[in-house]
Amino acid sequence: MDIMQLVEQSKDAATVNRVFGEPIHHGDIVVIPVARVAQGGGGGQGRGTKEKDEKGEGSGGGFGFSATPAGVFVLKNGEAQWRPAVDVNRIVIGGQIVAVALLLTVRSILWRRRRRRH
């Protein structure tokens, strides 16, 4: 595939429809889901040979796309409210880091006290 064809196809991946989802209606409330979208791409060309007099050729390309939930807009009574998505994994990892730091601090304090006694 030509690299320019890959670039043209990748333009459609990050449209507004990928960031803002279809509105969900429930009574007088409208919820609009929102996502964080990231994309990247790359390509390359090369010429390599096994023999000194031979000409080599090469090309390549790739594209990556990622979308994660960011939250929702809630429309009610003419007002809009932002409700962020909760990333439970990030909360758990943050708690683990705090716990390890606390345990290391307590260990250091106890080690110093024990050393002073002897």
Side-chain angles (χ1 to χ4, degrees):
M1 175 180 280
D2 184 25
I3 293 174
M4 292 310 295
Q5 288 177 340
L6 182 66
V7 170
E8 290 297 322
Q9 289 179 357
S10 70
K11 288 180 182 178
D12 296 332
T15 63
V16 172
N17 292 337
R18 304 258 187 208
V19 176
F20 296 100
E22 291 293 322
I24 302 166
H25 300 274
H26 185 71
D28 62 339
I29 299 173
V30 178
V31 178
I32 302 172
V34 181
R36 287 184 194 94
V37 176
Q39 71 176 20
Q45 258 181 322
R47 292 180 184 246
T49 63
K50 293 182 181 179
E51 301 293 327
K52 292 181 182 179
D53 296 334
E54 286 185 34
K55 290 186 178 181
E57 294 182 22
S59 66
F63 175 73
F65 179 81
S66 171
T68 56
V72 295
F73 282 110
V74 179
L75 307 173
K76 183 178 179 183
N77 299 328
E79 294 184 18
Q81 291 183 337
W82 171 251
R83 305 254 174 107
V86 177
D87 188 356
V88 178
N89 292 333
R90 193 175 283 183
I91 293 170
V92 169
I93 289 171
Q96 289 173 344
I97 291 170
V98 169
V100 167
L102 180 65
L103 289 172
L104 291 173
T105 303
V106 168
R107 185 187 81 166
S108 177
I109 291 169
L110 292 175
W111 183 75
R112 286 183 185 174
R113 284 186 182 177
R114 179 186 246 176
R115 200 167 170 202
R116 287 182 190 169
R117 288 183 187 170
H118 293 294

